[in-house]
Amino acid sequence: MIDEAIQRKLREQYNPDGSALRDIQLGMLDILIEFDRVCRANSIQYWLDSGTLIGAIRHGGFIPWDDDLDVCMLKSDYIKYRTLINNELRRPYTLCDVSFTPGYGYTYPRITDSSISVMRQYGNGEIRKVNIWMDILPMIQGTALFARGINKFYGRCFRRRYGVIDDGRLKHIVGGIMYPFAKCVVDVLRYLGRFVDKRNLDHDFGTGFYSKRKADDVFPLGNVMFENHIFPAPADCDSYLKRIYGDYMRLPDVDKRITHDFILRNEHIKS
């Protein structure tokens, strides 16, 4: 963990108690706590990932400027348990998945809190009220063959199939027609990948994320302290994070401390 004085200075600068960002972080923490409750009650394996795991190791909780929360689990486990998870989550939490959530357009699932919303500005300038969320990133075993090539094709077909991209009726129709073919190709590559190297863990197709993990770094799962709560973590967090980020203990330059373009108010919006 970084020096306590540095940590205190960062907290004062980015997410002091009572700030809008800190309220968002604590709301996301509540989502994680509820998700963890369901997983522990049903022996479902998952682990903290990406910036959330860096935050746990480097800061003992959220990275002070972060407004995101990520966990990983094997795709096979997610498929097996997604209905159970959705049914057992307490209100106001909901598992969003394209297979059963109307209007949901991400290739990976997330859990939302319908009681807390924030204003978010997107790259095209659109401003929209959204519920806070926690991302669940399913991982597949084996090398994701041709992931970068197929992801662009599959991702565009997927987003047009589910109406996420609004770039004209013709492209929407073509994307819908091509989606079954793209999905078939991805399913075949998922199957073939399992025979290449089971020690590899890759993001599932369509997420647009390409950093690799090693199963030996993850299993058997360990634990880590995050915001004064204990959550599952990779067995070897140091190797896991170095493989993805290199020197993850080094603080990024100020201009690299990015968020999701939330328009932060004095307090979050209660629905």
Side-chain angles (χ1 to χ4, degrees):
M1 194 176 301
I2 63 174
D3 180 77
E4 184 177 345
I6 296 175
Q7 171 73 354
R8 184 167 54 252
K9 183 177 180 180
L10 290 172
R11 281 289 304 275
E12 291 172 354
Q13 180 179 359
Y14 291 101
N15 65 335
D17 290 339
S19 66
L21 179 54
R22 187 58 179 163
D23 284 350
I24 290 171
Q25 290 175 343
L26 294 177
M28 291 178 173
L29 174 63
D30 286 341
I31 299 176
L32 175 59
I33 291 172
E34 173 63 5
F35 175 70
D36 181 75
R37 180 192 68 80
V38 173
C39 289
R40 288 182 187 276
N42 295 280
S43 300
I44 302 171
Q45 290 193 315
Y46 79 94
W47 61 94
L48 301 190
D49 187 64
S50 303
T52 306
L53 184 60
I54 290 179
I57 301 299
R58 194 172 69 197
H59 302 274
F62 283 96
I63 295 174
W65 55 88
D66 199 10
D67 57 2
D68 194 14
L69 202 157
D70 297 311
V71 303
C72 280
M73 62 192 310
L74 294 179
K75 183 178 178 67
S76 56
D77 284 344
Y78 175 71
I79 295 297
K80 181 178 179 181
Y81 293 112
R82 62 184 170 186
T83 302
L84 182 151
I85 292 171
N86 194 43
N87 290 340
E88 292 202 10
L89 286 173
R90 297 166 177 162
R91 293 182 180 181
Y93 308 112
T94 302
L95 178 65
C96 296
D97 184 289
V98 71
S99 67
F100 53 69
T101 305
Y104 185 72
Y106 290 91
T107 57
Y108 50 89
R110 62 177 36 161
I111 296 175
T112 62
D113 178 350
S114 62
S115 72
I116 303 177
S117 300
V118 292
M119 304 305 295
R120 181 180 181 186
Q121 184 168 5
Y122 291 81
N124 61 2
E126 178 187 6
I127 298 176
R128 190 189 312 165
K129 185 172 80 168
V130 297
N131 295 327
I132 63 170
W133 71 84
M134 179 190 82
D135 286 330
I136 302 174
L137 300 171
M139 305 296 291
I140 56 177
Q141 289 181 283
T143 301
L145 299 173
F146 315 113
R148 291 182 183 271
I150 193 62
N151 262 337
K152 188 174 182 179
F153 171 60
Y154 173 69
R156 287 184 175 181
C157 290
F158 178 95
R159 289 171 178 83
R160 290 186 176 112
R161 162 68 175 78
Y162 290 100
V164 181
I165 300 177
D166 184 14
D167 55 358
R169 181 172 175 78
L170 179 59
K171 289 184 177 180
H172 177 75
I173 293 173
V174 171
I177 293 172
M178 295 300 294
Y179 173 70
F181 171 72
K183 185 177 183 303
C184 181
V185 172
V186 164
D187 287 343
V188 170
L189 293 177
R190 285 190 187 115
Y191 178 78
L192 293 176
R194 292 186 300 175
F195 297 98
V196 176
D197 189 349
K198 291 185 178 181
R199 294 173 299 175
N200 280 336
L201 294 177
D202 293 270
H203 288 284
D204 194 19
F205 290 95
T207 63
F209 306 132
Y210 303 104
S211 55
K212 296 182 180 297
R213 285 93 164 121
K214 289 292 184 182
D216 290 345
D217 292 340
V218 177
F219 301 110
L221 290 173
N223 292 295
V224 70
M225 185 72 74
F226 181 82
E227 297 289 347
N228 297 316
H229 296 269
I230 296 176
F231 296 106
D236 188 342
C237 292
D238 185 58
S239 295
Y240 186 88
L241 290 172
K242 281 181 178 176
R243 195 180 304 279
I244 304 169
Y245 299 102
D247 185 9
Y248 63 91
M249 291 299 292
R250 182 177 181 271
L251 292 172
D253 295 336
V254 174
D255 62 343
K256 301 296 184 182
R257 301 172 187 179
I258 58 175
T259 69
H260 280 92
D261 298 317
F262 288 145
I263 301 173
L264 300 179
R265 299 152 53 107
N266 289 334
E267 59 184 34
H268 50 253
I269 302 171
K270 283 285 187 180
S271 300

